[in-house]
Coordinates of all heavy atoms in Angstrom, one line a residue:
M1 N 0.5 -24.5 -18.3 CA 0.1 -24.8 -16.9 C 1.4 -25.2 -16.1 O 1.5 -24.9 -15.0 CB -0.9 -25.9 -16.9 CG -1.9 -25.7 -15.8 SD -2.6 -24.1 -15.6 CE -3.3 -24.2 -14.0
K2 N 2.2 -26.1 -16.7 CA 3.4 -26.5 -16.0 C 4.4 -25.4 -15.7 O 5.0 -25.3 -14.7 CB 4.1 -27.6 -16.9 CG 3.7 -29.0 -16.6 CD 4.5 -30.0 -17.4 CE 4.0 -31.4 -17.1 NZ 4.6 -32.3 -18.0
S3 N 4.5 -24.4 -16.7 CA 5.4 -23.3 -16.4 C 4.8 -22.4 -15.3 O 5.6 -21.8 -14.5 CB 5.6 -22.5 -17.7 OG 4.3 -22.0 -18.2
L4 N 3.5 -22.3 -15.2 CA 2.9 -21.5 -14.1 C 3.3 -22.1 -12.8 O 3.6 -21.4 -11.8 CB 1.4 -21.4 -14.3 CG 0.7 -20.5 -13.3 CD1 1.1 -19.1 -13.4 CD2 -0.8 -20.6 -13.5
L5 N 3.2 -23.4 -12.7 CA 3.5 -24.1 -11.5 C 5.0 -23.9 -11.1 O 5.3 -23.7 -10.0 CB 3.2 -25.6 -11.7 CG 3.2 -26.5 -10.4 CD1 2.0 -26.0 -9.5 CD2 3.1 -27.9 -10.8
F6 N 5.8 -23.9 -12.1 CA 7.2 -23.7 -11.9 C 7.5 -22.3 -11.3 O 8.2 -22.1 -10.4 CB 8.0 -23.8 -13.2 CG 9.5 -23.6 -13.1 CD1 10.3 -24.5 -12.3 CD2 10.1 -22.6 -13.7 CE1 11.6 -24.3 -12.2 CE2 11.5 -22.4 -13.6 CZ 12.2 -23.3 -12.8
I7 N 6.8 -21.3 -11.9 CA 6.9 -19.9 -11.3 C 6.4 -19.8 -9.9 O 7.1 -19.2 -9.1 CB 6.1 -18.9 -12.3 CG1 6.8 -18.8 -13.6 CG2 6.0 -17.5 -11.6 CD1 5.9 -18.2 -14.7
L8 N 5.3 -20.5 -9.6 CA 4.8 -20.5 -8.2 C 5.8 -21.1 -7.3 O 6.0 -20.7 -6.2 CB 3.5 -21.2 -8.2 CG 2.3 -20.5 -8.8 CD1 1.1 -21.3 -8.8 CD2 2.0 -19.2 -8.1
L9 N 6.5 -22.2 -7.7 CA 7.5 -22.8 -6.9 C 8.7 -21.9 -6.6 O 9.2 -21.8 -5.6 CB 8.0 -24.1 -7.6 CG 7.0 -25.3 -7.5 CD1 7.5 -26.5 -8.4 CD2 6.7 -25.7 -6.1
L10 N 9.0 -21.1 -7.7 CA 10.1 -20.1 -7.5 C 9.7 -19.1 -6.4 O 10.5 -18.8 -5.6 CB 10.4 -19.4 -8.8 CG 11.3 -20.1 -9.8 CD1 11.5 -19.3 -11.0 CD2 12.6 -20.5 -9.2
F11 N 8.5 -18.6 -6.5 CA 8.0 -17.6 -5.5 C 8.0 -18.2 -4.1 O 8.3 -17.5 -3.1 CB 6.6 -17.1 -5.9 CG 6.6 -16.0 -6.9 CD1 5.8 -16.1 -8.0 CD2 7.4 -14.9 -6.7 CE1 5.8 -15.1 -8.9 CE2 7.3 -13.9 -7.6 CZ 6.6 -14.0 -8.7
N12 N 7.8 -19.5 -4.0 CA 7.7 -20.1 -2.7 C 9.0 -20.7 -2.2 O 9.1 -21.3 -1.2 CB 6.6 -21.2 -2.7 CG 5.2 -20.5 -2.8 OD1 5.0 -19.5 -2.2 ND2 4.3 -21.2 -3.5
S13 N 10.1 -20.5 -2.9 CA 11.4 -21.1 -2.6 C 11.9 -20.4 -1.3 O 11.6 -19.2 -1.0 CB 12.4 -20.9 -3.7 OG 12.7 -19.6 -3.9
P14 N 12.7 -21.1 -0.5 CA 13.2 -20.5 0.7 C 14.0 -19.2 0.5 O 14.0 -18.4 1.4 CB 14.1 -21.6 1.3 CG 13.7 -22.8 0.6 CD 13.1 -22.4 -0.7
R15 N 14.6 -19.0 -0.6 CA 15.4 -17.8 -0.8 C 14.5 -16.6 -1.0 O 14.9 -15.5 -0.8 CB 16.2 -18.0 -2.1 CG 17.4 -18.9 -1.9 CD 18.1 -19.2 -3.2 NE 19.5 -19.1 -3.0 CZ 20.3 -18.3 -3.8 NH1 19.9 -17.6 -4.7 NH2 21.6 -18.3 -3.5
C16 N 13.3 -16.8 -1.4 CA 12.4 -15.7 -1.6 C 11.1 -15.9 -0.8 O 10.3 -16.8 -1.1 CB 12.0 -15.6 -3.1 SG 10.8 -14.3 -3.5
T17 N 11.0 -15.2 0.3 CA 9.9 -15.4 1.2 C 8.6 -14.6 0.8 O 7.6 -14.8 1.5 CB 10.3 -15.1 2.6 OG1 10.7 -13.8 2.7 CG2 11.3 -16.1 3.1
T18 N 8.7 -13.8 -0.2 CA 7.6 -13.0 -0.6 C 6.7 -13.7 -1.5 O 7.1 -14.1 -2.6 CB 8.0 -11.7 -1.2 OG1 8.9 -11.0 -0.4 CG2 6.9 -10.8 -1.5
T19 N 5.5 -14.0 -1.1 CA 4.5 -14.7 -2.0 C 3.7 -13.6 -2.7 O 3.1 -12.8 -2.0 CB 3.6 -15.6 -1.1 OG1 4.4 -16.6 -0.4 CG2 2.6 -16.4 -2.0
M20 N 3.6 -13.8 -4.0 CA 2.7 -12.8 -4.7 C 1.3 -13.4 -4.9 O 1.2 -14.6 -5.1 CB 3.3 -12.5 -6.1 CG 4.7 -11.8 -6.0 SD 4.7 -10.3 -5.1 CE 3.7 -9.3 -6.3
V21 N 0.3 -12.6 -4.7 CA -1.1 -13.0 -4.9 C -1.7 -12.0 -5.9 O -1.1 -10.9 -6.2 CB -1.8 -13.0 -3.6 CG1 -1.3 -14.1 -2.6 CG2 -1.9 -11.7 -2.9
Y22 N -2.9 -12.3 -6.4 CA -3.6 -11.5 -7.3 C -4.9 -11.1 -6.8 O -5.6 -11.8 -6.1 CB -3.8 -12.3 -8.6 CG -2.5 -12.8 -9.2 CD1 -2.0 -14.0 -8.9 CD2 -1.8 -12.0 -10.1 CE1 -0.7 -14.4 -9.4 CE2 -0.6 -12.3 -10.6 CZ 0.0 -13.6 -10.2 OH 1.2 -14.0 -10.7
V23 N -5.2 -9.8 -7.0 CA -6.5 -9.3 -6.5 C -7.2 -8.5 -7.7 O -6.5 -8.0 -8.5 CB -6.3 -8.3 -5.3 CG1 -5.7 -9.1 -4.1 CG2 -5.5 -7.1 -5.6
C24 N -8.5 -8.4 -7.6 CA -9.2 -7.6 -8.5 C -9.1 -6.2 -8.0 O -9.4 -5.9 -6.9 CB -10.7 -8.1 -8.6 SG -11.7 -7.2 -9.8
N25 N -8.7 -5.2 -8.9 CA -8.5 -3.8 -8.5 C -9.9 -3.1 -8.5 O -10.1 -2.2 -9.2 CB -7.6 -3.2 -9.5 CG -7.1 -1.8 -9.0 OD1 -7.2 -1.5 -7.9 ND2 -6.7 -1.0 -10.0
S26 N -10.7 -3.6 -7.6 CA -12.0 -3.0 -7.4 C -12.2 -2.7 -5.9 O -11.7 -3.4 -5.0 CB -13.1 -4.0 -7.8 OG -14.3 -3.8 -7.1
P27 N -12.9 -1.6 -5.6 CA -13.1 -1.2 -4.2 C -13.9 -2.3 -3.5 O -13.9 -2.3 -2.2 CB -13.9 0.1 -4.3 CG -14.4 0.3 -5.7 CD -13.5 -0.6 -6.5
N28 N -14.7 -3.1 -4.2 CA -15.5 -4.1 -3.5 C -14.8 -5.5 -3.4 O -15.4 -6.4 -2.8 CB -16.8 -4.3 -4.3 CG -17.6 -3.0 -4.3 OD1 -17.7 -2.3 -3.4 ND2 -18.2 -2.7 -5.5
A29 N -13.6 -5.6 -3.9 CA -13.0 -6.9 -3.9 C -12.5 -7.2 -2.5 O -11.9 -6.4 -1.8 CB -11.8 -6.9 -4.8
T30 N -12.8 -8.4 -2.0 CA -12.4 -8.8 -0.7 C -11.6 -10.1 -0.7 O -11.2 -10.5 0.4 CB -13.7 -9.1 0.2 OG1 -14.5 -10.1 -0.5 CG2 -14.5 -7.9 0.3
R31 N -11.2 -10.6 -1.8 CA -10.5 -11.8 -1.9 C -9.1 -11.7 -2.6 O -9.0 -10.8 -3.4 CB -11.3 -12.9 -2.7 CG -12.7 -13.1 -2.2 CD -12.6 -13.9 -0.9 NE -14.0 -14.4 -0.5 CZ -14.2 -15.2 0.5 NH1 -13.2 -15.7 1.2 NH2 -15.4 -15.6 0.7
Y32 N -8.2 -12.5 -2.2 CA -6.9 -12.6 -2.9 C -6.8 -14.0 -3.5 O -7.4 -14.9 -3.0 CB -5.7 -12.2 -2.1 CG -5.4 -13.1 -0.9 CD1 -4.7 -14.3 -1.0 CD2 -5.8 -12.7 0.4 CE1 -4.4 -15.1 0.0 CE2 -5.6 -13.5 1.5 CZ -4.8 -14.7 1.3 OH -4.6 -15.5 2.4
H33 N -6.0 -14.1 -4.6 CA -5.9 -15.4 -5.3 C -4.4 -15.7 -5.5 O -3.6 -14.8 -5.8 CB -6.6 -15.2 -6.7 CG -8.0 -14.7 -6.5 ND1 -9.1 -15.5 -6.6 CD2 -8.5 -13.4 -6.4 CE1 -10.2 -14.8 -6.5 NE2 -9.8 -13.5 -6.3
Y34 N -4.1 -17.0 -5.4 CA -2.8 -17.5 -5.7 C -2.6 -17.6 -7.2 O -1.5 -17.5 -7.7 CB -2.5 -18.8 -5.0 CG -2.3 -18.7 -3.5 CD1 -3.2 -19.3 -2.7 CD2 -1.3 -17.9 -3.0 CE1 -3.0 -19.2 -1.3 CE2 -1.2 -17.8 -1.6 CZ -2.0 -18.5 -0.8 OH -1.9 -18.3 0.6
K35 N -3.7 -17.8 -7.9 CA -3.6 -18.1 -9.4 C -4.2 -16.9 -10.1 O -5.3 -16.5 -9.8 CB -4.3 -19.4 -9.7 CG -3.6 -20.6 -9.2 CD -4.3 -21.8 -9.7 CE -5.7 -22.0 -9.1 NZ -6.4 -23.2 -9.6
A36 N -3.5 -16.3 -11.1 CA -4.0 -15.2 -11.9 C -5.1 -15.7 -12.7 O -5.9 -14.8 -13.1 CB -2.9 -14.6 -12.7
D37 N -5.2 -16.9 -13.0 CA -6.3 -17.4 -13.9 C -7.4 -18.1 -13.1 O -8.1 -18.9 -13.6 CB -5.7 -18.3 -15.0 CG -5.1 -19.6 -14.4 OD1 -4.8 -19.6 -13.2 OD2 -4.8 -20.5 -15.2
C38 N -7.5 -17.8 -11.8 CA -8.5 -18.4 -11.0 C -9.9 -18.1 -11.5 O -10.1 -17.0 -11.9 CB -8.3 -17.9 -9.5 SG -9.6 -18.5 -8.4
R39 N -10.8 -19.0 -11.3 CA -12.2 -18.8 -11.7 C -12.8 -17.6 -10.9 O -13.7 -17.0 -11.4 CB -13.0 -20.0 -11.6 CG -13.0 -20.6 -10.2 CD -13.5 -22.1 -10.2 NE -14.9 -22.2 -10.6 CZ -15.6 -23.3 -10.6 NH1 -15.1 -24.4 -10.1 NH2 -16.9 -23.3 -10.9
G40 N -12.3 -17.4 -9.7 CA -12.8 -16.3 -8.9 C -12.5 -15.0 -9.4 O -13.1 -14.0 -9.1
L41 N -11.5 -14.9 -10.3 CA -11.1 -13.6 -10.9 C -11.7 -13.4 -12.3 O -11.6 -12.3 -12.8 CB -9.5 -13.6 -11.0 CG -8.7 -13.2 -9.8 CD1 -7.2 -13.4 -10.1 CD2 -8.9 -11.7 -9.4
S42 N -12.3 -14.4 -12.8 CA -12.8 -14.3 -14.2 C -13.9 -13.4 -14.3 O -14.2 -12.8 -15.4 CB -13.2 -15.7 -14.6 OG -14.3 -16.2 -13.8
N43 N -14.7 -13.1 -13.2 CA -15.8 -12.1 -13.3 C -15.4 -10.7 -12.8 O -16.2 -9.9 -12.5 CB -17.0 -12.6 -12.6 CG -16.8 -12.9 -11.1 OD1 -15.6 -12.6 -10.6 ND2 -17.7 -13.4 -10.4
C44 N -14.0 -10.5 -12.7 CA -13.5 -9.2 -12.3 C -13.8 -8.2 -13.4 O -13.3 -8.4 -14.5 CB -12.0 -9.3 -11.9 SG -11.3 -7.7 -11.5
Q45 N -14.5 -7.1 -13.1 CA -14.8 -6.0 -14.1 C -13.6 -5.0 -14.2 O -13.7 -4.1 -15.0 CB -16.0 -5.3 -13.7 CG -17.3 -6.2 -13.6 CD -17.7 -6.8 -14.9 OE1 -17.8 -6.0 -15.9 NE2 -17.9 -8.1 -15.0
H46 N -12.6 -5.1 -13.3 CA -11.5 -4.2 -13.3 C -10.2 -4.9 -13.6 O -10.3 -6.1 -14.0 CB -11.4 -3.6 -11.9 CG -12.6 -2.9 -11.4 ND1 -12.8 -1.5 -11.4 CD2 -13.8 -3.4 -11.0 CE1 -14.0 -1.2 -11.0 NE2 -14.6 -2.3 -10.7
R47 N -9.1 -4.2 -13.5 CA -7.8 -4.9 -13.8 C -7.5 -5.8 -12.6 O -7.8 -5.6 -11.5 CB -6.8 -3.8 -13.9 CG -6.4 -3.5 -15.3 CD -5.6 -2.3 -15.5 NE -4.9 -1.7 -14.4 CZ -3.6 -1.9 -14.2 NH1 -2.9 -2.6 -15.0 NH2 -3.0 -1.3 -13.2
V48 N -6.8 -6.9 -13.0 CA -6.2 -7.8 -12.0 C -4.8 -7.4 -11.7 O -4.0 -7.2 -12.6 CB -6.2 -9.3 -12.5 CG1 -5.5 -10.2 -11.5 CG2 -7.7 -9.7 -12.7
I49 N -4.5 -7.1 -10.4 CA -3.2 -6.6 -10.1 C -2.5 -7.6 -9.1 O -3.2 -8.3 -8.4 CB -3.3 -5.2 -9.4 CG1 -4.2 -5.2 -8.2 CG2 -3.7 -4.2 -10.4 CD1 -4.1 -4.0 -7.3
A50 N -1.2 -7.6 -9.2 CA -0.4 -8.5 -8.3 C 0.1 -7.7 -7.1 O 0.4 -6.5 -7.2 CB 0.8 -9.1 -9.0
M51 N 0.1 -8.3 -5.9 CA 0.6 -7.7 -4.7 C 1.2 -8.8 -3.8 O 0.9 -10.0 -4.1 CB -0.4 -6.9 -4.0 CG -1.6 -7.7 -3.5 SD -2.7 -6.7 -2.4 CE -3.2 -5.4 -3.4
T52 N 1.9 -8.4 -2.8 CA 2.4 -9.5 -1.9 C 1.3 -10.0 -1.0 O 0.3 -9.2 -0.7 CB 3.5 -8.9 -1.0 OG1 3.0 -7.9 -0.1 CG2 4.7 -8.4 -1.8
L53 N 1.4 -11.2 -0.6 CA 0.4 -11.8 0.3 C 0.2 -10.9 1.6 O -0.9 -10.7 2.1 CB 0.9 -13.2 0.7 CG 0.0 -14.0 1.7 CD1 -1.4 -14.2 1.2 CD2 0.7 -15.3 2.1
E54 N 1.3 -10.4 2.1 CA 1.3 -9.5 3.3 C 0.4 -8.3 3.0 O -0.4 -7.9 3.9 CB 2.7 -9.1 3.6 CG 2.9 -8.6 5.0 CD 4.3 -8.1 5.3 OE1 5.2 -8.2 4.4 OE2 4.6 -7.8 6.5
D55 N 0.6 -7.6 1.9 CA -0.2 -6.5 1.6 C -1.7 -6.8 1.4 O -2.5 -6.0 1.9 CB 0.3 -5.8 0.3 CG 1.6 -5.0 0.5 OD1 1.9 -4.7 1.7 OD2 2.2 -4.7 -0.5
A56 N -2.0 -7.9 0.8 CA -3.3 -8.4 0.7 C -4.0 -8.6 2.0 O -5.1 -8.2 2.3 CB -3.4 -9.6 -0.2
Q57 N -3.3 -9.2 3.0 CA -3.8 -9.5 4.3 C -4.0 -8.2 5.1 O -4.9 -8.0 5.9 CB -3.0 -10.5 5.0 CG -3.1 -11.9 4.4 CD -2.1 -12.9 5.0 OE1 -1.1 -12.5 5.5 NE2 -2.5 -14.2 4.9
K58 N -3.1 -7.2 4.9 CA -3.1 -5.9 5.6 C -4.4 -5.2 5.1 O -4.9 -4.4 5.9 CB -1.9 -5.1 5.3 CG -0.8 -5.3 6.2 CD 0.4 -4.4 5.9 CE 1.7 -4.9 6.5 NZ 2.8 -4.3 5.9
S59 N -4.8 -5.4 3.9 CA -6.0 -4.7 3.4 C -7.3 -5.5 3.6 O -8.3 -5.4 2.9 CB -5.9 -4.2 2.0 OG -5.4 -5.3 1.2
N60 N -7.2 -6.5 4.6 CA -8.3 -7.3 5.1 C -8.9 -8.2 4.0 O -10.1 -8.5 4.0 CB -9.4 -6.4 5.7 CG -8.9 -5.7 6.9 OD1 -8.3 -6.4 7.8 ND2 -9.3 -4.5 7.1
K61 N -8.1 -8.6 3.0 CA -8.6 -9.5 2.0 C -8.4 -10.9 2.5 O -7.4 -11.2 3.3 CB -7.8 -9.3 0.7 CG -8.2 -7.9 0.0 CD -7.7 -7.9 -1.4 CE -8.0 -6.6 -2.1 NZ -8.9 -5.6 -1.4
T62 N -9.3 -11.8 2.1 CA -9.2 -13.2 2.6 C -9.0 -14.1 1.3 O -9.3 -13.7 0.2 CB -10.4 -13.6 3.3 OG1 -11.6 -13.3 2.5 CG2 -10.5 -12.8 4.6
L63 N -8.5 -15.3 1.6 CA -8.3 -16.2 0.5 C -9.5 -16.6 -0.2 O -10.6 -16.9 0.4 CB -7.6 -17.5 1.0 CG -7.3 -18.6 0.0 CD1 -6.3 -18.0 -1.1 CD2 -6.6 -19.8 0.7
C64 N -9.4 -16.6 -1.5 CA -10.6 -16.9 -2.4 C -11.2 -18.3 -2.0 O -10.5 -19.2 -1.7 CB -10.0 -17.0 -3.8 SG -10.9 -18.0 -5.0
K65 N -12.5 -18.4 -2.1 CA -13.2 -19.6 -1.7 C -12.8 -20.8 -2.5 O -13.0 -21.9 -2.1 CB -14.7 -19.4 -1.6 CG -15.3 -19.0 -2.9 CD -16.8 -18.8 -2.8 CE -17.4 -18.4 -4.1 NZ -18.8 -18.1 -4.1
W66 N -12.4 -20.5 -3.8 CA -12.1 -21.6 -4.7 C -10.7 -22.2 -4.4 O -10.4 -23.3 -4.8 CB -12.1 -21.2 -6.2 CG -13.4 -20.6 -6.6 CD1 -13.7 -19.3 -6.9 CD2 -14.6 -21.3 -6.8 NE1 -15.0 -19.2 -7.2 CE2 -15.6 -20.4 -7.2 CE3 -14.9 -22.7 -6.7 CZ2 -16.9 -20.8 -7.5 CZ3 -16.3 -23.1 -7.0 CH2 -17.2 -22.1 -7.4
E67 N -9.9 -21.6 -3.6 CA -8.5 -22.0 -3.4 C -8.3 -22.4 -2.0 O -7.1 -22.6 -1.5 CB -7.5 -20.9 -3.8 CG -7.6 -20.6 -5.3 CD -6.8 -19.4 -5.7 OE1 -5.6 -19.5 -5.7 OE2 -7.4 -18.4 -6.1
Q68 N -9.3 -22.5 -1.2 CA -9.1 -22.9 0.2 C -9.1 -24.5 0.4 O -9.6 -25.2 -0.5 CB -10.3 -22.4 1.1 CG -10.1 -20.9 1.3 CD -11.3 -20.2 2.0 OE1 -12.2 -20.9 2.4 NE2 -11.3 -18.9 2.1
Ligands
LIG101 ZN1 -9.1 -17.6 -6.5

């Protein structure tokens, strides 16, 4: 858990402005997640894929209700 936090801090560092998020690779998925092990992804029947926050928002995904 500590190492995951460290990776998230690296992604959010000023040198790297691209934030990666995780989405369920399903046509019905409408949420994006900051954590790959989020409980909101645990019932995903498809693959979990990583994309940039920008791409997730462009495809009209909204932040997972567990992480707001
Ligand atoms: Zn989530």
Side-chain angles (χ1 to χ4, degrees):
M1 213 51 194
K2 270 185 184 170
S3 60
L4 182 64
L5 194 65
F6 180 67
I7 291 165
L8 289 175
L9 286 173
L10 277 181
F11 275 128
N12 290 324
S13 70
R15 286 172 137 235
C16 179
T17 55
T18 305
T19 302
M20 296 304 290
V21 296
Y22 301 91
V23 300
C24 183
N25 190 20
S26 155
N28 298 321
T30 57
R31 303 288 190 172
Y32 63 83
H33 309 261
Y34 289 120
K35 292 185 294 183
D37 61 348
C38 174
R39 59 196 293 186
L41 278 169
S42 61
N43 58 3
C44 176
Q45 302 291 311
H46 302 257
R47 260 166 18 104
V48 174
I49 56 171
M51 63 169 62
T52 64
L53 177 60
E54 196 180 7
D55 283 345
Q57 289 173 337
K58 272 183 196 162
S59 49
N60 292 321
K61 292 193 181 353
T62 55
L63 178 61
C64 158
K65 62 181 177 180
W66 300 109
E67 296 173 71
Q68 285 173 8

